[in-house]
Amino acid sequence: MYRLAHFSDPHLPSPPGSMTISYAMTKRLFSWSSWRRKRSKHHKKAVLDAITADVAAWSPDHLVITGDLINFAADKEFAAARAWLESLGPAHDVTVTPGNHDALAGCGEFGPWAEWLEDETTDSFPKVRIRGEVAVICVNTGLPTAPFLATGTCGEAQLARLGPILDDLKARGLFRIIALHHPPTPGGSARKALTDQKALRDILGRHGAELILHGHTHVPLLGSVKGPDGQIATVCAPSASQRPVGKNNAARWHGIEIERGGSGWKVRVEVRGFAPDGDAVEPLGQYRLDA
């Protein structure tokens, strides 16, 4: 059995002095203002610390974080996020996929987090990490956008590489997990959508995968997309630092146990986090996603 933990959108607090004059005429100013007005009240480090402590106590074999570690892509934020990632354990045991806030300033291949993206440096996404019989395919949907947009895009080049990667991993008999920030499913606000989600779903429909993990919405979601042999489950974790204020969903994470079963895979998901009126991380439920 392979044990994988998943959470998303930690939105780490911005270090003092992160906002500089050089950022004043860029989209970073809008995001910094939003953080000061709203996000800093909704996202709390104490909540995130409780989530990460609970994850550590569960003793996963690997941890996947699906983006938005930071808020307006300041240099000091990247450095602070790197230190935080190091506190979670060896980079070998943690995979990060970029989000729209991480890509706010156009960060290319996300060099500051290279150790958490893949084991061998390559020039492009998707990036793949293989652990035992499990393969995590890191798809980058984060890219700079105009003010007031939080859309994501895979891009034609990345999508062209994804199909052959999925075929190779299937031929090797691996359980394929696609990790990305934006949801691959329709619905929600067009202002925050994955712009080429249909093209991504078409590739998944031809080449398949066993599981898709994402974040971005700050809402717990369970959905599916069509694969060549049936439906592929999509699992979204809300923000790992979010307080249940107003309509906000409280922070939670997923513990995913994967093992071979017959001609397929047995997958059990344990949901842990804060209840709406809770003050500690607790079990919230569990379900199966056999593939």
Side-chain angles (χ1 to χ4, degrees):
M1 180 180 292
Y2 195 84
R3 290 162 60 86
L4 183 142
H6 167 231
F7 65 76
S8 195
D9 297 74
H11 287 287
L12 292 161
S14 298
S18 294
M19 187 63 188
T20 66
I21 295 296
S22 63
Y23 300 158
M25 299 305 292
T26 68
K27 186 180 176 180
R28 282 167 161 155
L29 178 62
F30 293 95
S31 290
W32 173 79
S33 176
S34 175
W35 173 261
R36 290 289 300 273
R37 286 187 299 105
K38 182 173 58 177
R39 292 184 184 275
S40 62
K41 299 179 178 65
H42 296 169
H43 298 273
K44 294 298 180 184
K45 185 64 162 50
V47 172
L48 178 60
D49 289 346
I51 290 289
T52 56
D54 197 57
V55 169
W58 194 72
S59 298
D61 297 303
H62 202 76
L63 167 62
V64 174
I65 307 171
T66 47
D68 277 2
L69 276 65
I70 55 181
N71 303 291
F72 54 95
D75 291 343
K76 286 189 175 183
E77 286 189 317
F78 271 107
R82 181 182 176 89
W84 175 75
L85 286 170
E86 290 172 343
S87 76
L88 299 179
H92 177 276
D93 299 332
V94 181
T95 294
V96 170
T97 189
N100 55 292
H101 281 268
D102 307 321
L104 206 65
C107 299
E109 297 304 310
F110 296 87
W113 300 341
E115 297 165 62
W116 292 270
L117 294 171
E118 58 186 340
D119 296 323
E120 297 181 5
T121 302
T122 58
D123 294 333
S124 56
F125 288 90
K127 298 179 183 293
V128 179
R129 306 191 91 179
I130 297 174
R131 300 291 184 268
E133 294 187 301
V134 174
V136 179
I137 304 103
C138 178
V139 173
N140 179 21
T141 63
L143 80 170
T145 58
F148 309 113
L149 289 180
T151 52
T153 300
C154 296
E156 292 182 5
Q158 183 176 203
L159 291 176
R161 290 187 288 267
L162 179 59
I165 288 173
L166 291 170
D167 287 346
D168 174 65
L169 296 172
K170 180 179 181 180
R172 296 162 68 176
L174 301 177
F175 186 93
R176 299 163 297 171
I177 300 174
I178 291 183
L180 74 170
H181 183 64
H182 292 77
T185 48
S189 168
R191 187 178 69 83
K192 300 180 179 181
L194 182 63
T195 61
D196 50 2
Q197 59 176 256
K198 184 180 184 303
L200 173 59
R201 291 198 301 272
D202 288 346
I203 289 171
L204 294 170
R206 295 193 301 270
H207 301 276
E210 280 62 61
L211 182 62
I212 301 169
L213 303 176
H214 70 91
H216 186 54
T217 68
H218 293 198
V219 175
L221 298 172
L222 177 62
S224 66
V225 301
K226 186 177 180 180
D229 304 311
Q231 296 296 308
I232 306 168
T234 64
V235 179
C236 176
S239 168
S241 62
Q242 191 161 264
R243 299 169 57 230
V245 177
K247 297 181 180 180
N248 290 348
N249 286 269
R252 64 174 63 180
W253 67 276
H254 301 119
I256 304 168
E257 295 181 331
I258 303 162
E259 63 179 335
R260 286 193 180 274
S263 59
W265 300 89
K266 294 182 179 180
V267 183
R268 187 180 74 89
V269 181
E270 180 179 356
V271 183
R272 297 184 60 86
F274 289 87
D277 57 351
D279 57 3
V281 180
E282 59 184 88
L284 301 175
Q286 57 181 284
Y287 53 89
R288 298 199 70 91
L289 292 173
D290 293 354

